[in-house]
Amino acid sequence: MGGHERVAALAAGLAGERVDHRFKGLPPDADGLTVGELAAQRRGLFDGGFTTPVLVLSEAALGHNLDLLERYAQEHGLSFAPHGKTSMAPQLFARQLERGAWGITVAVPHQARVCREFGVSRIFLANEVVDPAALRWIGGQLDADPDLTFVTYVDSVRGVELMDTALREAGTRRALDVVVELAAGEGARTGARTEADCAAVAEAVAGAPSLRLVGVAGYEGEVPDADPGRVAAWLRRLVALAAGLDAAGRFGSAEEIVISAGGSAWFDVVAEVLAEVPALSRPVRKLLRSGAYVTHDDDHYRRITPFNRVPEEGSLEPAFRLWAQVVSRPSPTQAFLNAGKRDAAYDLGLPSVRAVRGGDAAGLTVTALSDQHTWLSVPPDHPLAVGDWVALGLSHPCTTFDKWPLIPVTAPDATVTDYIRTFF
């Protein structure tokens, strides 16, 4: 069984999980059914017993977005390891891998554990790992599975020392592959700040028997005052860093050299600059890590998507809708929905009203979120009434997924055809 088939088979096992109180928004009368049994009933979202608030995922938009980034990566000669921390959904991992993704990117060891539980055989951990317990687990995974590829960041000599000590004390037999992280600039997030710092880290890796240097990486979304020119300049530093470390013989026994970047704001510039990578001593894997594309959104990523700059490449579609009900209209200009911070992403922008079922959404504006309420500003003569269903568009997929452990998937006619299980 191939890589993506194994992940798909293990993810399919989630259909056997029982529906109960853990999963908000699902029909109370479905308790005790398996997820697969409930999906087979193909209930209607509005008449099938679902309770509000309920987050749903559009199958049409999801499929469109998955197909678009598959094509984009292929046409630009990029390998793709989508950032799984966006969704932490094994069923979506399987669909990404089926579409040619090289592997899955994660941010912390726990997310890597979820990937391994569901058979992912190539993991790129885009963060530093210095926790001995996590490193013992990683080392155990490497030794137990010769087909596992596991790559993680390093950005300091001290970090290299801690990693090497933990792995050697654990008796790990296979070396852990690492990439030197180049910071996006002063005041940015993690990463070695200068090329000299990166060279010192690479030298430390060369002296660490439990580690193997395989490339360089970073996150261009942290470039200060980012614009296409500044992002491109930083990416060219990253490419030059790889070339310099290669010329110095720092990639040792690596079969290929990894150059990795790519969030969801500048992947067009990533594609442009990585197309300029010169010939190095061994094959280069140009690894894109964008993840938010899976569901896109109605606010933050809609505004910053690279497809705004290159519309001929296509466009992503918002795939989430949060349906809530009007539970109070205490004055002509104010109404409240029964969804709040525990249901809707709000760290990168408030939700927006996208539809009223059977009614008019014009003039309805979200002004604030409480823990369990959405505050709406309403035109005085608007017919919005208590009991109406209101669809909210959301920002920031990452912090949407982590609020909903089981998400209904809807067809265009609002039939629920499947459920996506998430793990955070």
Side-chain angles (χ1 to χ4, degrees):
M1 184 181 293
H4 72 82
E5 288 103 341
R6 174 170 169 74
V7 177
L10 290 169
L14 291 166
E17 192 166 11
R18 294 287 172 183
V19 175
D20 58 24
H21 63 279
R22 293 170 297 163
F23 305 125
K24 59 185 179 179
L26 299 194
D29 67 352
D31 279 8
L33 296 177
T34 67
V35 172
E37 289 168 344
L38 179 57
Q41 293 181 355
R42 297 180 67 86
R43 298 194 185 197
L45 178 65
F46 302 112
D47 60 6
F50 292 87
T51 63
T52 55
V54 58
L55 180 76
V56 298
L57 185 56
S58 162
E59 173 55 44
L62 174 64
H64 168 83
N65 294 343
L66 288 167
D67 291 343
L68 179 57
L69 260 290
E70 176 191 14
R71 177 187 60 76
Y72 185 89
Q74 290 174 347
E75 291 183 353
H76 290 276
L78 300 169
S79 294
F80 191 31
H83 215 316
K85 62 108 174 163
T86 299
S87 68
M88 287 309 298
Q91 292 147 287
L92 298 185
F93 296 168
R95 294 178 68 168
Q96 291 169 316
L97 293 168
E98 181 184 12
R99 286 167 170 78
W102 172 87
I104 299 296
T105 297
V106 296
V108 292
H110 165 70
Q111 294 167 354
R113 290 184 62 194
V114 174
C115 288
R116 290 300 291 156
E117 184 69 20
F118 288 91
V120 177
S121 60
R122 291 182 181 140
I123 297 172
F124 190 97
L125 203 163
N127 204 349
E128 285 69 24
V129 182
V130 295
D131 178 355
L135 289 162
R136 285 195 297 271
W137 174 81
I138 293 170
Q141 293 291 304
L142 288 168
D143 286 348
D145 184 356
D147 295 324
L148 172 62
T149 298
F150 199 113
V151 183
T152 189
Y153 279 4
V154 289
D155 75 349
S156 68
V157 172
R158 173 63 173 161
V160 170
E161 293 169 349
L162 291 170
M163 295 175 76
D164 185 49
T165 297
L167 290 167
R168 284 190 293 106
E169 288 180 350
T172 303
R173 297 185 300 278
R174 283 183 64 194
L176 172 59
D177 289 343
V178 297
V179 291
V180 175
E181 183 191 8
L182 175 66
E186 287 300 323
R189 206 160 58 188
T190 54
R193 269 18 189 189
T194 68
E195 280 74 4
D197 292 338
C198 291
V201 173
E203 182 177 4
V205 172
S210 67
L211 303 177
R212 180 175 73 156
L213 188 66
V214 298
V216 298
Y219 174 48
E220 74 289 343
E222 286 285 309
V223 169
D225 301 315
D227 62 22
R230 290 186 178 92
V231 170
W234 176 81
L235 286 162
R236 291 190 175 98
R237 284 182 61 200
L238 188 69
V239 171
L241 174 63
L245 293 176
D246 186 38
R250 290 303 189 192
F251 294 121
S253 62
E255 294 85 12
E256 61 185 13
I257 297 171
V258 176
I259 304 177
S260 179
S264 295
W266 300 102
F267 56 73
D268 58 327
V269 186
V270 172
E272 175 188 341
V273 174
L274 293 193
E276 304 169 359
V277 173
L280 300 180
S281 66
R282 61 208 76 190
V284 175
R285 184 169 300 281
K286 306 168 186 178
L287 193 63
L288 182 69
R289 305 192 309 272
S290 309
Y293 82 97
V294 173
T295 58
H296 199 44
D297 70 10
D298 283 271
D299 181 29
H300 180 73
Y301 287 106
R302 179 182 59 81
R303 288 185 283 106
I304 68 171
T305 177
F307 292 127
N308 290 338
R309 294 186 292 273
V310 283
E312 64 273 16
E313 294 272 17
S315 62
L316 295 167
E317 298 177 2
F320 277 138
R321 283 293 178 264
L322 177 61
W323 284 95
Q325 280 184 285
V326 180
V327 292
S328 178
R329 188 171 178 181
S331 75
T333 60
Q334 194 174 39
F336 292 87
L337 308 180
N338 62 344
K341 292 180 180 179
R342 292 178 173 175
D343 312 300
Y346 58 92
D347 56 317
L348 293 180
L350 290 172
S352 54
V353 176
R354 292 300 174 184
V356 175
R357 184 170 183 248
D360 179 13
L364 302 180
T365 304
V366 176
T367 59
L369 290 178
S370 299
D371 289 347
Q372 216 67 69
H373 290 96
T374 299
W375 297 55
L376 286 187
S377 172
V378 185
D381 58 351
H382 197 285
L384 187 73
V386 170
D388 285 349
W389 287 58
V390 177
L392 298 175
L394 304 175
S395 68
H396 203 181
C398 302
T399 53
T400 298
F401 273 106
D402 65 13
K403 297 175 186 295
W404 293 87
L406 193 62
I407 304 172
V409 178
T410 55
D413 66 356
T415 298
V416 176
T417 60
D418 200 0
Y419 296 83
I420 298 296
R421 184 72 160 95
T422 66
F423 296 86
F424 279 87

